Amino acid sequence: MRENDVILQTVSKIAVFIILTFGVYLFLAGHHHPGGGFIGGLTLSSAFVLLYLSFDVETVNAGIPLDYRKLAATGVLISVCTGMGSLLFGSAFLSQTFAYFNLPLFGKTELATVVLFEAGVALGVIGVVVTIITSISGEV
Amino acid sequence: METIIILLVGVLVSVATYLLLSKNVIRVVLGTALLSHAVHLLLLTMGGLKRGSVPILGDQPETYTDALPQALILTAIVISFAVTAFFLVLVFRTYQQTNTDNLHELKGADNE
Amino acid sequence: MTLIHYLILMPILAAAFIPLLGVGAPKLHLGWGAITVPILLFSFFVSYVPAIASGDVFSASVAWMQALDLHFAIHLDGLSLIFTLLITGIGSLVVLYSIFYMSKERESLAHFYAYLLLFMGAMLGVVLSDNLMVLYLFWELTSVSSFLLIAFWFRRKNSRYGAQKSFLITVGGGISMLVGFIMLHVMSGTNSIQEIIAMRDTLHEHSLFVPALVLILIGAFTKSAQFPFHIWLPDAMEAPTPVSAYLHSATMVKAGLFLVARFTPVFGGEATWFWLVSGVGIFTMFWGSFSAVKQKDLKALLAYSTISQLGLIMSLFGLGSAALQGGASTESVLYTKAIFAALFHLVNHSTFKGALFMIVGIVDHEVGTRDLRKLGGLIAFMPVTFSLAVISSFSMAGLPPFNGFLSKEMFFTAVLNANQMTLFSMETWGLLFPIVAWIGSVFTFAYSMILVFRTFLGPYRREKLEKTPHEAPIGMLISPIILCGLIVLVFFMPNQLSHYLLSPAMNSILPTYANMDGLIPHISAWHGFNLELLMTIGVAVIGAVAVKTLRYWYLVYDFFPEHRSIDSGYRWMLSAGERLSHQATSRYMTGFLRHYLYYIYGFLLLITGGTLLLSGSIIIDPSGDAPVAVYEVIIVLVMAAAAIGIPFTKSRMTAALLNGVLGYSIAIFFVLFRAPDLALTQLVVETVTTVLFLLCFHHLPEWSREERSLKVRLPKLLVSIGMGALTVLIALSVQGNRLFDSISSYFEDSYDLAGGRNIVNSILGDFRAFDTMLEVVVLFIAGIGVYTLVTLKAPKGEDERERE
């Protein structure tokens, strides 16, 4: 994609992990704090974009063997299917529910079905954004 | 504050419209991007500005700023991103096929 | 849902499954699969005959759209039953015939039988619906499926032309009928036909009564190919012959007759109805038979003969409607004979015309031509077909011992009765009916004889035929043999038919006369030397002379040249319509994006701005505004400057960066205005967008200058400033006019309702999750779009062809 740039590559190796961690945090925090599926997904995909910017496409694809189009499709499928899931329990399409559990190590924890939905959203966003960027830059 | 932001929205809409009426395709795409900026600001303003705290529930009851426009804008931002990306690719593929970025030359044949 | 509902839906569902059967059993001729449906339906409907004959009716309704008074309501009475038996009975025979007619190797049978079954379901829907709107729905479905069937050989130009013509005319009539139905609904307040019939006396005075009557009749006339709408039927003969035998003789064209019969209790007794139905009918009868004689193509001859026969039945319905003028009395029961004759002839016509179409199909199939100038002497090769042709066409000509004789005699009785009428100024015009009817019958006799003797007798010329003729396979002969058997059977046992089918139908067409003495006449073949018999003998004698001296008669036809026909009028209207709309469209559809945007903005400014000004809702009230800080003003000024700068920059790179500046400033505002989620999203999105812009610029040339002339720039400036001003005014007025409280406080309970403290995300993931789901879908579609646009490229050559 571009000629080797040692400084950029070294920095991004570290930065990518920070961004990835931050992205996952944002995704999980979304229920009670700023964050959520969209932002998490966008942040995670920006980490991938950074990788593509600093290394060439082949290297990244070898390191992360993911088909982003399938990832996007999976995400959309998950979002739609969690909606269907609520139908099984006799409630309206896409109704979410939540409950509190006492888990070892975490103590009282809230688990919500919306996480599954948001996970679908996040995967969809990552898949689409990376697909767009790589398909355009693949044209160079 | 609201009045000032609304005036700013007006300026953004004017410039966006002017760009949309251009014959260069990139200007048109920029126009759509600008228009979505204007709409996001407008939506937020319509919900009222600075009327409470961040819409994240705390332990003490307090007033919160209107969360509904924010949810709408969040959706709108992502969609406008998708649309802009699509437009851009459409533009550069059109250029590759027809070798022009001038809308007046993209008019098409007369007898269609 | 009752059984009858399922019976209507069964063929439509079967139409969906027939193609699957073709995949599952590729060796099977699909007709064998399709034929089970009409046979099954026929046996179901036959099982209703005893109950209907004893006076029962079956009604049931399934609620569909209550608010629109739209119900899937069905009503099975004597009238509907005749039609359902015709549809399914003739349908079975036609499908059987088509199994031998349609080649499994060469034709796309899955399509053929799917369309045919779709049509069958639609037709059943028409005759069984009791709801005006549902009737209309099925009515148009028959037009659509008929279009598909006529255009079955869609590679032929004539097929497409014929299909388009029949579609335009019948759907045009259908729309007129819909308007009539809406008027009926306005008058009566109900969509149920039976309820409308029940309140017929109160409707007569309504000012919409006559317009509704005329509009509904236009629908019936177009469907039943009445003059001057008959022109589509000859062109529809481009359809495969089984289709012509089914749609254009026995069923679809009879839908118009059904409609007239169904609405006779509502409109009957009205002078307009009487004159339109009987007048148009009798003239169509004459014109159709007159035109049939000059045809050279056997199918065209049959098409015109169908038009003529439909006209005959139509005129009988018209004459019979006079019985509903005033009350039901023993005198006016005389007029009801016409309705009885109409129903009787309707059944008879289906038998002999169905058989004739099949016979012509056999000739076409085995000889390779339908041209009368080439045919002749086939009797030696196809004796069975010849016998069948004699039976069916003698029946059509009205000769004994065939069923056509009986109904033709009753037709003469009816027109002679009409002569005695003292209603609707029939004293002056009544004599026209017997005269026109008699002349039309002479022509009918003539073309019936031409059909048989020109084809099967006369000189045999092998050199003009494509194949050596031989008798058709037995499978193709079964259906016409059955129909010809019916023709003879009905002649000898007409009163059984009358008892089981015709009299219940009479009761439903003439509810006020129900079960009155003299309503159901006794049909007898011999009724002495009366005027009717003399008329028939006259028809036969004069007709025979006419056929013998036919070549002198052709001079008469030269008075009606092609270029002044109704057909050329239709073609002229079609091309004029196309030309006009092309001119009008090309005037404003310039192909310039800018012009289209001008139209949109123009309307927006005019309508929205005008409403805003005229309604006086502009209120500017900045008192409730939040306080302003200095740094906020600075950001606003920076943003305004960046925005205004964009059109003036020389480099697109600068423009994209300025757009980025705007985006990041908005992110700052999101922070200031307490929207952390938005700020985060905006930051990331803006970064990615800017990257996208820069990536794309790599592939694109530097942007060119815009036109600088004032003529171009001034309207652009005016429109954009207008749009900005309009937005500001609307936004300020909204700020000033708070009409109701915000609904957002509901979402502030998100912790209890959705277990989330972040209200925005609770709305996205929980309260309005449907929006979010669709948003992801949109995003995904855009992603697929981008990927496809980038990766799919047409090969060089193909691209050139596309542009031609």
Side-chain angles (χ1 to χ4, degrees), chain C residues 67 131 143 303 310 410 458 507 547 671 678 728 775:
Chain C
N131 190 289
S143 298
L310 291 169
M410 297 180 80
N507 287 339
V547 174
V671 173
L678 294 187
V728 169
E775 178 196 355

Side-chain angles (χ1 to χ4, degrees), chain C residues 52 98 118 126 182 195 207 235 267 279 299 304 331 370 375 428 494 511 641 676 705 708 711 730 792:
Chain C
I52 297 278
S98 73
L118 186 69
V126 167
I182 293 171
E195 285 174 31
S207 59
D235 285 302
F267 296 115
K299 266 183 104 176
Y304 279 104
E331 285 163 46
R370 305 189 304 244
L375 292 168
T428 2
R705 273 169 179 268
R708 311 223 89 186
K711 212 182 124 196
I730 292 176
L792 284 186

Side-chain angles (χ1 to χ4, degrees), chain C residues 14 28 79 120 122 161 254 284 313 326 341 534 546 610 625 666 735 774:
Chain C
L28 184 77
L79 180 63
M120 195 180 290
Y161 174 74
K254 300 243 163 85
T284 308
I313 303 172
L534 289 178
D625 281 10
I666 287 178
Q735 286 291 108
L774 291 180

Side-chain angles (χ1 to χ4, degrees), chain C residues 527-563:
Chain C
H527 31 65
F529 276 106
N530 53 7
L531 194 51
E532 289 89 329
L533 191 65
L534 289 178
M535 280 170 88
T536 304
I537 293 171
V539 163
V541 172
I542 306 284
V545 173
V547 174
K548 278 286 166 199
T549 55
L550 195 62
R551 59 203 138 100
Y552 306 109
W553 286 86
Y554 282 128
L555 292 174
V556 179
Y557 290 104
D558 292 339
F559 285 113
F560 300 94
E562 277 298 309
H563 63 269

Side-chain angles (χ1 to χ4, degrees), chain C residues 794-802:
Chain C
K796 278 279 180 224
E798 243 171 66
D799 195 44
E800 289 306 311
R801 242 181 293 138
E802 256 171 45

Side-chain angles (χ1 to χ4, degrees), chain C residues 465-521:
Chain C
L465 308 177
E466 285 179 21
K467 312 177 197 172
T468 309
H470 53 83
E471 188 57 88
I474 180 68
M476 245 167 152
L477 289 170
I478 294 175
S479 297
I481 286 175
I482 294 176
L483 286 172
C484 288
L486 282 173
I487 290 173
V488 180
L489 190 71
V490 170
F491 178 79
F492 288 108
M493 310 171 75
N495 291 304
Q496 274 71 10
L497 178 80
S498 156
H499 174 70
Y500 282 108
L501 288 180
L502 304 182
S503 55
M506 286 296 279
N507 287 339
S508 44
I509 297 176
L510 301 162
T512 45
Y513 285 88
N515 301 320
M516 191 187 255
D517 280 344
L519 179 67
I520 312 300

Side-chain angles (χ1 to χ4, degrees), chain C residues 404-464:
Chain C
F405 171 72
L406 300 176
S407 47
K408 197 57 151 297
E409 293 284 286
M410 297 180 80
F411 168 58
F412 285 145
T413 314
V415 287
L416 289 172
N417 284 340
N419 193 24
Q420 316 288 322
M421 273 188 203
T422 48
L423 305 158
F424 309 133
S425 49
M426 279 293 277
E427 298 91 336
T428 2
W429 301 101
L431 194 61
L432 275 179
F433 279 94
I435 293 173
V436 176
W438 189 79
I439 297 174
S441 299
V442 172
F443 283 116
T444 306
F445 184 87
Y447 70 67
S448 302
M449 295 307 120
I450 290 173
L451 178 71
V452 181
F453 293 115
R454 284 288 188 83
T455 313
F456 291 97
L457 301 179
Y460 166 62
R461 287 157 296 179
R462 173 66 187 87
E463 70 283 0
K464 293 200 172 181

Side-chain angles (χ1 to χ4, degrees), chain C residues 578-592:
Chain C
E578 274 176 12
R579 205 173 49 242
L580 275 177
S581 55
H582 177 74
Q583 278 171 0
T585 313
S586 55
R587 190 155 296 164
Y588 67 90
M589 299 295 282
T590 51
F592 294 123

